[in-house]
Amino acid sequence: MIYRIRFGAMIETDAVMRPEMAAKLLQGLDGKKGGLFDCIQIRKEEAIYCRLDRKDAVYGLGEQVRGINKRGWIYNSDNSDNPHHHEDTTSLYGSHNFLVIAGEKNYGIFLDYAGKVAFDVGYTEQDMLLIRPEDWNFDLYLFEGDSVKEIVRDFRRMTGRCYIPPKWAFGYGQSRWSYYSADEVRQIVKKHRENNLPLDAVYLDIDYMDNYKDFTVNGEAFPEFAEFVREMKRQHIHLVPIIDAGIKKEDGYSVYEEGKEKGYFCKKEDGSEFVAAVWPGHAVFPDFFHEEAREWFGNQYDYLLKQGIDGFWNDMNEPAIFYSEERLLQVFEKLESFKGKNLGMDDYFGMLDLVNGLSNNREDYESFYHDYRGRKIRHDKVHNLFGAFMTRAASEAFERLQPEKRILMFSRSSATGAHRYGGIWQGDNKSWWSHLRLNIRMCPSLNMCGFLYTGADLGGFGSNTTEDLMLRWMEFGIFTPLMRNHSAAGTRCQEIYQFKNLDAFRNILQFRYRLLPYLYSEFMKAALADEMYFQPLAFEYPEDDMASQVEDQLLVGESLMIAPVCEQNARGRYVYLPEEMKMYRLKQNGELESGILSAGHQYVAAELEELIFFLRKGHALPLAAGGNCVEEVDFDHLTVLTFGDGEISYRYYRDDGESRDYDNPDHISVLHVKGDCEMTAE
Amino acid sequence: MIYRIRFGAMIETDAVMRPEMAAKLLQGLDGKKGGLFDCIQIRKEEAIYCRLDRKDAVYGLGEQVRGINKRGWIYNSDNSDNPHHHEDTTSLYGSHNFLVIAGEKNYGIFLDYAGKVAFDVGYTEQDMLLIRPEDWNFDLYLFEGDSVKEIVRDFRRMTGRCYIPPKWAFGYGQSRWSYYSADEVRQIVKKHRENNLPLDAVYLDIDYMDNYKDFTVNGEAFPEFAEFVREMKRQHIHLVPIIDAGIKKEDGYSVYEEGKEKGYFCKKEDGSEFVAAVWPGHAVFPDFFHEEAREWFGNQYDYLLKQGIDGFWNDMNEPAIFYSEERLLQVFEKLESFKGKNLGMDDYFGMLDLVNGLSNNREDYESFYHDYRGRKIRHDKVHNLFGAFMTRAASEAFERLQPEKRILMFSRSSATGAHRYGGIWQGDNKSWWSHLRLNIRMCPSLNMCGFLYTGADLGGFGSNTTEDLMLRWMEFGIFTPLMRNHSAAGTRCQEIYQFKNLDAFRNILQFRYRLLPYLYSEFMKAALADEMYFQPLAFEYPEDDMASQVEDQLLVGESLMIAPVCEQNARGRYVYLPEEMKMYRLKQNGELESGILSAGHQYVAAELEELIFFLRKGHALPLAAGGNCVEEVDFDHLTVLTFGDGEISYRYYRDDGESRDYDNPDHISVLHVKGDCEMTAE
């Protein structure tokens, strides 16, 4: 059951596709009793209060720090370019206002709202969830259901089917800020190919452009780009360029000139251009909320599509702002007052705050406007939707420009609704073991909110990685739909051939390609049925009190449970099995060793080079023979691993991975197996 | 066996007390074979290389991030005022150049050296430990032994007995940056006393001073300070003021005037005062390396000792520098060049780096000098010793001024050698669960290096704590010799009476006071025998391969093992038992529940309010009845808990906790018990 309560007059968010699913429209909660109404109290213009029992868990909120169970911190929906994914970070790049309270009663809450929201999940009072929107103009949806899974499915159905990438995008991608030339990219590819390291994509970060100008290519570093794209395609490599939200303000640069002429950029109150600096220095920002501007911006992708590009990542679209012209001037002025002084504590830290406050400053977000559905709306009121609407611009353009084909698209910034237009990567993490754990925890929370095509920068983006962290992270990364190794300028190079134990990396990575039939099938089934691909144990075993405490194991699709090792120097880990399972160990020699583990707590050895995973009873795992790119993988001839007596059936989704007739029933075949076997899918 | 190899001409560090213990003086390793010589290679002016086998663990390095086993990162000895205790942090406030490689062979390494050292513990190559001192003027000590414990004991003996605090300093202390007045302190004490929350100390952070001037008291906020100290003492409360390294440069301020007149402050190359800003703005820095200056500075503590103060914490003694006069001028000049420009990426981040590089800048450390043993030495050459020598100044003064009494002294910055003069706290951590884990891991590493009196800011210093983190942290904190709750300005107040579940906090904290006979006895025995108080499991169970992987359990003294819960929302944890033990659970009602757990892996339930700990077989745990301050605790009438058949004996150390005749044999009595019992210690 879904209830909707409308407060004030919301700004449309594009989040809800099927508002009619909220069959019950309420005026408020006054007098309502029973079920979730016993748990929720609303004090208008103040907060929504939900009482939490000791054992209640709170799930959701998408891209946030901390646990799968979000209890014990404050999280804000307030999209931020924040590379500090710390325990005390309150907002990252996305806003996903959906959460589920699971306990004696299960209920869900969604705030359909573009503004800033604080979710105080037992921070101020351990037994209270407080939701404080910045203003009271939003639609509140309440979900009641027998299970968390049911509530999540209802939410997902209401907000629409998630983005589906092309199949090649399930291959491994190598990225770096930046590969500076075609020759460097060739070298990356060569090293992978000659070392038998599967690879499907190389990502181009900001330096492929001419002076950080979107929809240009640096002709010196990447001469004859279209031919280079073809050359790479012949090697089964997709080049995936980055697109930034800010457009360089430069006379003669056609994108800038055209957008300016048409009035498609965000404006200050007086109607003049809003200018702020990002990578190229002074830049302007397309008004993605304005339908024509969005269409115009989307059409720009064609410049690269026409050269054979079939995948993009949208970045800096919170939007990130280094500084605005006005603020920089102000700061320099204020700095004058500190000059020549004996600065005490307050002055000194005030000066640092001043300079460090240049970036992503709230006041700048309050200083420019959008033209949205005919209304002039100040940016901060829809700030959390900006990145989502950029992704929408791209996605809508792809449907117009290449209706027959899937284009890879994922973004840094996002909001509920954007899950229909693209995936997201989990932002600028660091080469920290705790960020491997965060990656594991964030995946199911994002899945709940519709972001199925997601993954983190494997090995860590900022800071220097270590060989063991890289390897352990790969052991988890092979299960994430988006599997990309990415790192920042100035950090240790972390292409996997940089490390000594190349055999171990190859073994793990090649296994990803053996898993592809299962991973792709499970992804597609989850996407098409509005289900989750990564699930916390608690969702599948709601009666199991222990399962709800497990923060570092996940269910992947219907058959697998994973328990990645994410402690440095550990040569094994504890695993909780909610039921008897078959454990597999991928040995260093590429062989799979298996054994049955009984339900309960287990300590499992897993050397650095060893991948472990678990097959659920009554389930099957179809494996391919592998390949050095997705195209090489034979999805028809399978080795099927099973656990359980008697016949086991597996609903197997296969398609060409390119076209968009997702729901064609021919894509599903049911595999019937008895024991492990080799088979050809019909 | 200890070997010493001298490279070049070292600057004396004050670390080694018994150089004669290094019976073997070597010229180098050429031609040496067998034992540790098969593992170590020295390439002069380059690095010391130690081959690491797969299962070798590397222990030591004192105050550093990451695990008990330090493998997998680079750690620098380069004392830094760094509140970012992250996984990729390479140096904190102390330099402790001692480590032990444990595996098939056990050996230790100590660099007696005041300069910067990089310890690359399997970062560049997983199987190689690389040690790179900044220059080759140091004494290298190599330790060979049958066990890690033996090597650690040899190192400790060679570097001298650790600092021993007064007994009251094992009580609970409440701190905050800052309590701003005597009335506020009275309130803190009152709240503890009226809620039956034991308390022995209140810490005074920088705001008790008159304008951040060392050895002054703000007479308005703390009128009649001596009387206030007495008033607190009557309530069994010790006030513990902070002392900073920087002396406010202010005409008329007697400490400044006198030090200036005598030439006791650090000077620039031209002999003029080195001036840099810290809390009070412009400040000067006593030359702790100069014997007379050190004595003079130490004597300043008498101003507070005479008012009844008997404990201090030394801070900002890396030394922390906000900015130097020269650098600030330079930065302002350079900023001019950015003015009015369209700053691209490089300029913008260059500008930020410029401003953020003001603090603790290496160039500033290279711009002033010490007068050390008659030589003019540039600060950066002895930078790592600065804090240690400040603590030495205090400690030597206490022995002169109050020879009969122990004075509490702990410091932020430290180096090997300083462990004889004071304890350390673990610096400006954050209210993060990962910092609770770091606290657990850092304790044994510091113990190895001689710092037994240590603890972290419970609940976390920076950032906002949560009730559950505070409680879980207390559950570990009751075992740390220094047990202090401290938090930064602007963060959530975290005195434990601020939280809802006061009963739980009281129960845990009161148990600290029941444990005191054991904790104090174990501390004293460890201190006097150059042993460790906190031990990793691996040190006690060297043959147990699993024990060496345990990073979140510790042995506390001879009888106890602890396994703190340090994951948010966990209601239990996995525990590895190297042998059968008796597990105790302190219930919410204050009762102890016990049961025997067999050796191996166990999952143990432990609700948020429940403390668990483990008693080793054949060992005893003496408990007192408790009290609201250390003085109230009866150390003679004991309840002794035991695990094992037959008679169990426990060497019990008791003294008055004030005087310095530590080695008086009368302080030891042997308790002989059969089963749990009440008894009076003879």
Side-chain angles (χ1 to χ4, degrees):
Chain A
M1 174 66 76
I2 309 178
Y3 304 88
R4 190 179 78 195
I5 312 174
R6 175 153 286 180
F7 292 93
M10 68 175 274
I11 296 170
E12 292 294 326
T13 62
D14 187 43
V16 173
M17 293 293 283
R18 294 188 192 82
E20 71 280 5
M21 282 181 67
K24 295 262 189 183
L25 302 183
L26 305 178
Q27 293 310 312
L29 299 186
D30 297 348
K32 291 273 168 302
K33 283 231 167 109
L36 63 89
F37 299 109
D38 294 342
C39 311
I40 303 184
Q41 219 200 328
I42 299 177
R43 295 194 207 139
K44 221 185 136 178
E45 301 296 334
E46 193 185 312
I48 300 162
Y49 295 80
C50 308
R51 218 192 44 245
L52 299 176
D53 285 342
R54 170 169 274 258
K55 287 191 178 180
D56 285 350
V58 179
Y59 301 110
L61 296 180
E63 191 179 38
Q64 291 286 1
V65 298
R66 299 218 178 195
I68 294 174
N69 180 355
K70 308 310 284 184
R71 278 188 84 156
W73 192 238
I74 289 184
Y75 311 88
N76 293 330
S77 286
D78 183 21
N79 293 4
S80 311
D81 168 20
N82 185 356
H84 305 295
H85 305 185
H86 298 162
E87 280 183 47
D88 58 351
T89 295
T90 51
S91 53
L92 292 170
Y93 317 86
S95 289
H96 312 112
N97 298 339
F98 174 59
L99 40 77
V100 177
I101 294 89
E104 286 294 306
K105 286 169 188 155
N106 297 309
Y107 59 100
I109 298 177
F110 173 59
L111 256 75
D112 191 10
Y113 180 54
K116 192 171 161 178
V117 196
F119 296 89
D120 177 338
V121 190
Y123 164 79
T124 301
E125 302 277 347
Q126 286 202 306
D127 55 359
M128 193 60 79
L129 162 66
L130 281 164
I131 304 174
R132 293 182 196 274
E134 205 172 33
D135 64 59
W136 283 66
N137 294 292
F138 58 87
D139 280 5
L140 175 69
Y141 292 87
L142 302 174
F143 300 75
E144 213 164 22
D146 289 333
S147 69
V148 177
K149 286 182 80 151
E150 184 190 325
I151 290 167
V152 172
R153 200 187 304 117
D154 279 353
F155 170 73
R156 293 275 306 283
R157 225 161 250 173
M158 192 178 86
T159 51
R161 177 176 286 175
C162 76
Y163 164 77
I164 293 171
K167 188 154 62 177
W168 65 260
F170 288 78
Y172 178 58
Q174 181 58 51
S175 188
R176 173 89 176 165
W177 171 27
S178 284
Y179 297 128
Y180 292 92
S181 68
D183 278 344
E184 198 178 348
V185 172
R186 284 184 184 104
Q187 196 58 25
I188 301 297
V189 174
K190 184 164 170 267
K191 287 275 194 184
H192 281 82
R193 290 286 177 251
E194 73 190 13
N195 283 299
N196 261 316
L197 300 168
L199 188 70
D200 273 273
V202 175
Y203 288 79
L204 301 178
D205 209 319
I206 52 174
D207 298 280
Y208 81 88
M209 300 183 215
D210 172 22
N211 283 300
Y212 313 123
K213 284 181 283 192
D214 275 347
F215 313 114
T216 70
V217 172
N218 179 334
E220 234 170 275
F222 294 89
E224 297 183 70
F225 191 63
E227 174 46 33
F228 179 55
V229 173
R230 279 193 294 276
E231 175 194 330
M232 287 294 111
K233 280 273 171 68
R234 286 192 294 273
Q235 298 184 55
H236 307 289
I237 297 295
H238 298 256
L239 295 177
V240 185
I242 197 168
I243 304 292
D244 284 340
I247 298 290
K248 189 175 200 298
K249 176 178 162 63
E250 182 183 273
D251 292 339
Y253 164 37
S254 65
V255 180
Y256 170 67
E257 296 273 10
E258 192 181 323
K260 184 184 169 185
E261 192 200 310
K262 296 189 167 158
Y264 287 160
F265 299 127
C266 295
K267 296 178 188 63
K268 292 192 284 193
E269 193 160 20
D270 63 4
S272 65
E273 249 172 8
F274 171 73
V275 179
V278 270
W279 302 120
H282 290 175
V284 293
F285 298 85
D287 184 358
F288 301 116
F289 292 92
H290 183 258
E291 219 160 313
E292 277 173 33
R294 188 163 70 239
E295 190 180 327
W296 167 80
F297 185 83
N299 287 341
Q300 305 305 314
Y301 287 83
D302 208 29
Y303 168 78
L304 290 158
L305 290 172
K306 277 190 177 137
Q307 298 186 70
I309 293 295
D310 48 10
F312 302 88
W313 43 313
N314 283 348
D315 196 14
M316 302 289 279
N317 49 354
E318 293 71 24
I321 287 180
F322 293 165
Y323 62 86
S324 67
E325 277 190 297
E326 287 77 4
R327 178 161 311 282
L328 189 65
L329 281 171
Q330 278 171 28
V331 166
F332 274 119
E333 251 169 56
K334 285 187 189 163
L335 283 174
E336 285 296 323
S337 70
F338 293 115
K339 239 181 183 171
K341 262 199 188 167
N342 175 355
L343 306 177
M345 175 174 66
D346 293 342
D347 278 343
Y348 177 64
F349 288 104
M351 186 180 89
L352 295 190
D353 286 351
L354 199 62
V355 173
N356 291 312
L358 273 167
S359 295
N360 306 320
N361 194 294
R362 177 89 188 184
E363 282 177 34
D364 286 329
Y365 293 139
E366 289 168 357
S367 74
F368 65 96
Y369 292 80
H370 299 285
D371 177 357
Y372 185 32
R373 300 182 175 222
R375 284 169 65 196
K376 183 173 164 184
I377 293 186
R378 207 173 68 183
H379 174 77
D380 61 303
K381 299 287 173 197
V382 290
H383 171 74
N384 289 338
L385 303 179
F386 188 81
F389 274 65
M390 179 187 180
T391 304
R392 184 176 170 183
S395 170
E396 288 173 345
F398 301 155
E399 283 203 50
R400 280 195 309 276
L401 301 166
Q402 304 217 349
E404 300 303 316
K405 207 178 153 186
R406 306 181 207 170
I407 303 290
L408 172 62
M409 162 53 50
F410 59 90
S411 170
R412 192 169 71 185
S413 182
S414 68
T416 304
H419 67 280
R420 301 193 303 273
Y421 303 115
I424 59 172
W425 89 99
Q426 291 165 23
D428 297 342
N429 64 0
K430 292 215 171 72
S431 297
W432 294 357
W433 292 84
S434 57
H435 283 183
L436 163 54
R437 289 190 285 276
L438 183 59
N439 185 192
I440 295 168
R441 290 164 188 188
M442 208 184 270
C443 282
S445 304
L446 281 169
N447 275 201
M448 285 175 69
C449 300
F451 293 88
L452 262 57
Y453 189 74
T454 185
D457 290 347
L458 302 178
F461 176 70
S463 191
N464 294 314
T465 202
T466 58
E467 180 165 351
D468 55 349
L469 175 59
M470 190 72 234
L471 190 49
R472 288 298 196 193
W473 213 324
M474 293 286 285
E475 290 170 12
F476 170 63
I478 61 167
F479 295 99
T480 60
L482 166 58
M483 184 189 184
R484 182 175 76 145
N485 177 341
H486 184 42
S487 57
T491 65
R492 184 181 198 170
C493 288
Q494 64 188 37
E495 297 82 13
I496 56 180
Y497 55 75
Q498 307 277 1
F499 299 103
K500 213 167 174 179
N501 197 347
L502 192 53
D503 289 345
F505 283 100
R506 183 188 303 111
N507 192 30
I508 301 297
L509 181 54
Q510 286 184 344
F511 196 68
R512 158 77 165 201
Y513 283 72
R514 297 203 61 199
L515 281 167
L516 278 175
Y518 176 74
L519 301 182
Y520 183 72
S521 170
E522 290 302 312
F523 180 94
M524 291 303 294
K525 288 190 299 183
L528 300 180
D530 301 311
E531 302 270 2
M532 294 168 69
Y533 168 88
F534 281 122
Q535 274 195 110
L537 269 53
F539 287 22
E540 195 68 16
Y541 306 94
E543 303 300 319
D544 185 333
D545 186 44
M546 190 62 221
S548 72
Q549 294 181 57
V550 176
E551 287 276 351
D552 55 1
Q553 302 173 208
L554 294 175
L555 297 166
V556 184
E558 63 171 63
S559 305
L560 294 187
M561 180 178 83
I562 56 171
V565 176
C566 34
E567 291 284 344
Q568 190 162 32
N569 298 317
R571 303 210 312 278
R573 58 160 288 167
Y574 293 102
V575 178
Y576 177 69
L577 293 111
E579 59 175 328
E580 186 185 61
M581 293 187 186
K582 191 188 268 187
M583 183 181 113
Y584 288 87
R585 172 178 284 119
L586 179 66
K587 305 285 291 178
Q588 297 197 46
N589 60 11
E591 278 172 23
L592 279 172
E593 193 182 78
S594 70
I596 292 167
L597 287 190
S598 54
H601 302 286
Q602 302 278 356
Y603 180 85
V604 173
E607 292 290 335
L608 185 54
E609 302 81 357
E610 289 178 346
L611 172 76
I612 53 168
F613 61 91
F614 304 82
L615 183 54
R616 292 176 67 191
K617 202 164 189 173
H619 288 271
L621 174 68
L623 292 175
N628 274 326
C629 61
V630 173
E631 220 175 311
E632 266 184 34
V633 175
D634 180 349
F635 283 72
D636 299 332
H637 296 92
L638 305 171
T639 300
V640 185
L641 304 180
T642 59
F643 177 38
D645 305 324
E647 191 182 88
I648 291 169
S649 58
Y650 176 76
R651 284 179 64 246
Y652 183 40
Y653 185 100
R654 252 177 326 162
D655 63 11
D656 65 8
E658 277 206 8
S659 51
R660 299 183 182 224
D661 64 332
Y662 311 119
D663 296 300
N664 185 336
D666 293 348
H667 295 161
I668 286 282
S669 49
V670 182
L671 311 181
H672 299 279
V673 286
K674 251 188 160 176
D676 295 358
C677 65
E678 313 273 316
M679 70 182 300
T680 304
E682 298 299 305
Chain B
M1 174 67 76
I2 310 178
Y3 304 86
R4 190 178 79 195
I5 312 174
R6 176 152 286 182
F7 292 93
M10 68 175 274
I11 296 169
E12 291 295 326
T13 62
D14 187 42
V16 174
M17 293 294 282
R18 294 186 192 83
E20 71 281 4
M21 282 180 67
K24 295 264 189 181
L25 303 183
L26 306 178
Q27 294 310 311
L29 299 186
D30 296 347
K32 292 271 167 305
K33 283 229 167 111
L36 64 88
F37 299 108
D38 293 343
C39 310
I40 304 184
Q41 218 200 330
I42 299 177
R43 294 194 208 142
K44 221 185 136 179
E45 301 295 336
E46 192 185 313
I48 299 162
Y49 295 81
C50 307
R51 219 193 41 245
L52 299 177
D53 286 341
R54 169 169 274 257
K55 287 193 178 179
D56 285 348
V58 179
Y59 301 110
L61 296 180
E63 192 179 38
Q64 290 287 0
V65 298
R66 299 219 177 194
I68 295 175
N69 181 354
K70 308 309 284 184
R71 279 188 83 157
W73 192 238
I74 289 184
Y75 312 88
N76 293 331
S77 285
D78 183 22
N79 293 3
S80 311
D81 168 21
N82 185 356
H84 305 294
H85 305 185
H86 298 162
E87 281 183 48
D88 59 349
T89 295
T90 51
S91 52
L92 293 170
Y93 317 87
S95 287
H96 312 112
N97 298 339
F98 173 59
L99 41 77
V100 177
I101 294 88
E104 287 294 305
K105 285 168 189 158
N106 298 308
Y107 59 99
I109 298 176
F110 173 59
L111 257 75
D112 191 10
Y113 180 54
K116 193 171 161 180
V117 197
F119 296 90
D120 176 338
V121 191
Y123 164 78
T124 301
E125 301 276 348
Q126 287 202 310
D127 55 359
M128 193 62 77
L129 162 65
L130 280 164
I131 304 175
R132 292 182 196 273
E134 205 172 32
D135 64 59
W136 284 68
N137 293 293
F138 58 88
D139 281 5
L140 174 69
Y141 291 87
L142 302 175
F143 300 77
E144 212 163 23
D146 288 334
S147 68
V148 177
K149 285 182 82 152
E150 184 190 325
I151 290 167
V152 172
R153 199 187 304 116
D154 279 352
F155 170 73
R156 295 275 306 283
R157 225 162 249 172
M158 192 178 86
T159 51
R161 179 177 285 175
C162 77
Y163 164 76
I164 293 171
K167 189 154 61 177
W168 64 260
F170 287 80
Y172 178 59
Q174 181 58 52
S175 188
R176 173 88 176 167
W177 171 29
S178 286
Y179 297 129
Y180 292 92
S181 68
D183 278 344
E184 198 177 349
V185 172
R186 285 185 184 102
Q187 197 57 26
I188 301 297
V189 173
K190 183 163 169 269
K191 287 277 195 181
H192 281 82
R193 290 285 178 252
E194 75 190 13
N195 283 300
N196 261 317
L197 300 168
L199 189 69
D200 274 273
V202 175
Y203 288 80
L204 302 179
D205 209 320
I206 51 174
D207 298 281
Y208 81 89
M209 301 183 214
D210 172 20
N211 282 300
Y212 313 124
K213 282 182 284 192
D214 275 347
F215 312 115
T216 70
V217 172
N218 179 334
E220 233 171 276
F222 294 88
E224 296 183 68
F225 191 63
E227 174 46 34
F228 179 55
V229 173
R230 279 192 295 275
E231 175 194 330
M232 287 293 111
K233 279 273 171 68
R234 285 192 294 273
Q235 298 183 55
H236 307 289
I237 297 294
H238 299 255
L239 295 177
V240 185
I242 197 169
I243 304 293
D244 284 339
I247 298 291
K248 188 175 201 297
K249 177 177 161 64
E250 182 182 274
D251 293 339
Y253 164 37
S254 65
V255 180
Y256 171 66
E257 295 274 11
E258 193 181 322
K260 183 183 168 184
E261 192 199 312
K262 295 189 167 158
Y264 287 159
F265 299 128
C266 295
K267 295 177 187 64
K268 292 192 283 193
E269 192 159 21
D270 63 5
S272 64
E273 250 173 8
F274 171 73
V275 179
V278 270
W279 301 120
H282 290 175
V284 293
F285 298 85
D287 185 358
F288 300 115
F289 292 93
H290 183 258
E291 220 160 313
E292 278 174 32
R294 189 163 69 239
E295 191 180 326
W296 166 80
F297 185 84
N299 287 339
Q300 305 305 314
Y301 286 82
D302 208 29
Y303 169 78
L304 290 158
L305 290 172
K306 277 189 178 136
Q307 299 186 69
I309 292 295
D310 48 10
F312 302 89
W313 42 314
N314 283 348
D315 195 13
M316 301 290 278
N317 49 354
E318 294 71 26
I321 287 180
F322 293 166
Y323 61 86
S324 67
E325 277 190 297
E326 287 78 3
R327 179 162 311 282
L328 189 64
L329 282 171
Q330 279 170 27
V331 165
F332 274 120
E333 253 168 56
K334 285 187 189 162
L335 284 175
E336 285 296 323
S337 70
F338 293 115
K339 240 180 182 171
K341 262 199 189 169
N342 173 357
L343 305 176
M345 174 174 69
D346 294 342
D347 278 343
Y348 176 65
F349 289 104
M351 187 181 89
L352 295 190
D353 287 350
L354 200 62
V355 173
N356 291 312
L358 273 167
S359 295
N360 307 319
N361 194 295
R362 176 91 189 183
E363 283 177 33
D364 286 329
Y365 293 138
E366 289 168 357
S367 76
F368 64 96
Y369 292 80
H370 299 286
D371 178 356
Y372 185 32
R373 299 182 176 220
R375 282 169 64 196
K376 183 174 164 185
I377 293 185
R378 206 173 69 184
H379 173 77
D380 61 302
K381 298 289 173 196
V382 289
H383 171 74
N384 290 337
L385 304 179
F386 188 81
F389 275 64
M390 179 188 180
T391 303
R392 182 176 170 184
S395 170
E396 288 172 344
F398 301 155
E399 281 202 52
R400 279 194 311 275
L401 301 167
Q402 305 215 349
E404 299 304 315
K405 207 177 151 186
R406 304 181 208 170
I407 303 291
L408 172 62
M409 161 52 51
F410 59 89
S411 170
R412 191 169 72 185
S413 182
S414 68
T416 303
H419 67 280
R420 300 193 303 273
Y421 303 116
I424 59 172
W425 89 98
Q426 291 164 23
D428 297 341
N429 64 1
K430 293 216 169 74
S431 297
W432 293 358
W433 292 84
S434 57
H435 283 184
L436 163 53
R437 288 191 285 276
L438 183 58
N439 184 192
I440 295 168
R441 289 163 189 190
M442 209 185 270
C443 281
S445 304
L446 281 169
N447 275 204
M448 285 176 69
C449 299
F451 293 89
L452 261 57
Y453 189 73
T454 185
D457 290 346
L458 302 178
F461 175 71
S463 192
N464 294 315
T465 202
T466 59
E467 179 164 351
D468 54 349
L469 175 59
M470 189 73 232
L471 189 49
R472 287 298 195 194
W473 213 324
M474 293 286 285
E475 290 169 12
F476 169 63
I478 61 166
F479 295 99
T480 59
L482 166 59
M483 185 190 182
R484 181 174 76 146
N485 177 339
H486 184 43
S487 57
T491 65
R492 184 180 198 170
C493 289
Q494 63 188 39
E495 297 83 13
I496 56 181
Y497 55 75
Q498 307 278 1
F499 299 102
K500 213 168 175 180
N501 196 349
L502 192 52
D503 290 345
F505 283 101
R506 184 188 302 111
N507 193 30
I508 301 298
L509 181 54
Q510 286 184 343
F511 196 69
R512 159 77 167 201
Y513 283 71
R514 296 203 62 200
L515 281 168
L516 277 176
Y518 176 75
L519 301 182
Y520 183 71
S521 169
E522 290 303 311
F523 180 93
M524 292 303 293
K525 289 190 299 183
L528 301 180
D530 301 312
E531 302 269 2
M532 293 167 70
Y533 168 90
F534 279 123
Q535 275 196 111
L537 270 54
F539 287 23
E540 195 67 17
Y541 305 93
E543 303 301 319
D544 184 333
D545 186 45
M546 191 61 221
S548 72
Q549 293 180 58
V550 176
E551 288 276 350
D552 56 1
Q553 302 173 210
L554 294 176
L555 297 166
V556 184
E558 64 171 64
S559 306
L560 294 187
M561 181 179 82
I562 57 170
V565 176
C566 33
E567 290 284 344
Q568 189 162 34
N569 297 317
R571 302 211 312 279
R573 56 159 288 167
Y574 293 102
V575 178
Y576 177 69
L577 293 111
E579 57 174 328
E580 187 186 59
M581 293 186 186
K582 192 187 269 189
M583 183 180 113
Y584 288 87
R585 171 179 283 118
L586 178 67
K587 305 286 291 179
Q588 296 197 47
N589 59 10
E591 278 171 22
L592 279 172
E593 193 181 78
S594 70
I596 292 167
L597 287 190
S598 54
H601 301 286
Q602 302 277 357
Y603 180 85
V604 173
E607 292 290 335
L608 186 54
E609 302 81 358
E610 289 177 345
L611 173 76
I612 53 166
F613 60 91
F614 303 82
L615 183 55
R616 292 176 66 191
K617 201 163 189 174
H619 288 271
L621 174 68
L623 292 175
N628 272 328
C629 59
V630 173
E631 220 174 312
E632 265 184 33
V633 175
D634 180 349
F635 282 72
D636 299 331
H637 295 92
L638 304 170
T639 301
V640 184
L641 303 181
T642 59
F643 177 37
D645 304 324
E647 191 181 270
I648 291 169
S649 58
Y650 176 75
R651 285 179 64 246
Y652 182 40
Y653 185 100
R654 253 177 327 162
D655 63 13
D656 65 7
E658 277 206 8
S659 51
R660 297 182 184 225
D661 64 333
Y662 310 120
D663 296 301
N664 185 335
D666 293 348
H667 295 161
I668 286 283
S669 50
V670 182
L671 311 182
H672 298 280
V673 285
K674 250 189 161 176
D676 296 358
C677 65
E678 313 271 316
M679 70 183 299
T680 304
E682 298 297 306

